[in-house]
Amino acid sequence: MTYCLAIRVDTGLVFCSDSRTHGGIDNVGTYSKMHRFGWSDQRHFCLLSAGNLATTQSVLHRLRQDMQRDQRISLRTVPSLDLAADYVGSIRAEVQQRHARRHSEPTDFTASFLLGGQIGSAPPGLRLIYPQGNAIHESPEHPFLQMGEVQYGKPLLDMVTSQWSLEAAARCALVSMDTTLQSNLSVGPPVELLILTGDRLDGGRHLRWGSEHLFLRELRSQWHQGLAAAIGRLPPFPWEESSLNREKTYKNAR
């Protein structure tokens, strides 16, 4: 299992992913699921991967090969993010079918990809490419997309609006990831974060941490403290309210 997410706010894009890969109960590995492609001042993409490792690696190999060979269609030449998603989706379908034909044993070769980025002066955006080949995009009402073990981190992302700053969105993404790390052992570090500022096309800020890194530990600690404080400020039950009023009256009388 894996967990990858991306957020779009008015000022840019945030991507976050774990790095744990399972090839079986006794075969747990660490592979980056965040793949960056960029050409300064022209375009940049981030591709997050989830699913069968052989399929995702073959898709990435083909993407890089098409760029190196200056193919007519590649991430370097597609004119829009929608066509980039179609291109990635078509390669995924070819690879997935090829792997399936080679194996007689029933094996799940499906993979999903979360693609985001910006081409020239076009606005940045996100596309979630499903194993079936279709893709969806984010919206102002739903500014985030997720893959993998999505249920644990989603409630936090529901707070995000497109007016948030990139840094606030990035912190929320990390808390969402950390919550998932604590809830499901099949999701694991290192954790990667990429922040792409809109219209800069400079490759953004890329960060990578182990689960016990001081920054993540401090983030987790302050989040838990904030939650505890918020619970204490929630409305009291009716019997608590009466008790509090009696206590207040008694203190005033004294």
Side-chain angles (χ1 to χ4, degrees), residues 63-88:
L63 292 174
R64 296 187 178 104
Q65 191 177 61
D66 284 354
M67 290 183 288
Q68 291 168 359
R69 294 179 177 177
D70 291 325
Q71 296 292 325
R72 184 176 62 85
I73 299 177
S74 72
L75 288 179
R76 193 169 188 171
T77 63
V78 287
S80 70
L81 191 59
D82 282 326
L83 290 176
D86 288 344
Y87 165 65
V88 173

Side-chain angles (χ1 to χ4, degrees), residues 34-47:
M34 181 178 289
H35 317 284
R36 295 173 290 154
F37 306 87
W39 294 268
S40 181
D41 300 324
Q42 297 179 25
R43 61 181 62 201
H44 54 202
F45 297 106
C46 179
L47 186 66

Side-chain angles (χ1 to χ4, degrees), residues 174-191:
L174 287 173
V175 173
S176 176
M177 175 62 70
D178 188 63
T179 299
T180 306
L181 290 175
Q182 295 180 69
S183 302
N184 191 325
L185 294 178
S186 68
V187 178
V191 172

Side-chain angles (χ1 to χ4, degrees), residues 157-250:
L157 298 177
D158 285 332
M159 300 186 299
V160 180
T161 70
S162 58
Q163 289 77 41
W164 279 27
S165 70
L166 275 170
E167 290 75 15
R171 283 187 283 269
C172 187
L174 287 173
V175 173
S176 176
M177 175 62 70
D178 188 63
T179 299
T180 306
L181 290 175
Q182 295 180 69
S183 302
N184 191 325
L185 294 178
S186 68
V187 178
V191 172
E192 291 189 78
L193 180 76
L194 178 65
I195 301 174
L196 296 178
T197 303
D199 298 327
R200 284 194 185 173
L201 300 174
D202 59 359
R205 299 177 183 272
H206 177 249
L207 300 164
R208 190 172 187 264
W209 300 282
S211 62
E212 294 305 312
H213 190 280
L214 179 61
F215 177 80
L216 290 185
R217 288 169 58 189
E218 182 66 18
L219 188 85
R220 179 185 304 167
S221 174
Q222 291 199 23
W223 173 254
H224 288 173
Q225 290 174 27
L227 279 180
I231 292 294
R233 292 193 295 269
L234 292 177
F237 292 108
W239 60 87
E240 291 179 301
E241 203 167 55
S242 300
S243 175
L244 288 171
N245 288 335
R246 284 198 301 270
E247 184 179 346
K248 184 177 179 180
T249 302
Y250 174 74

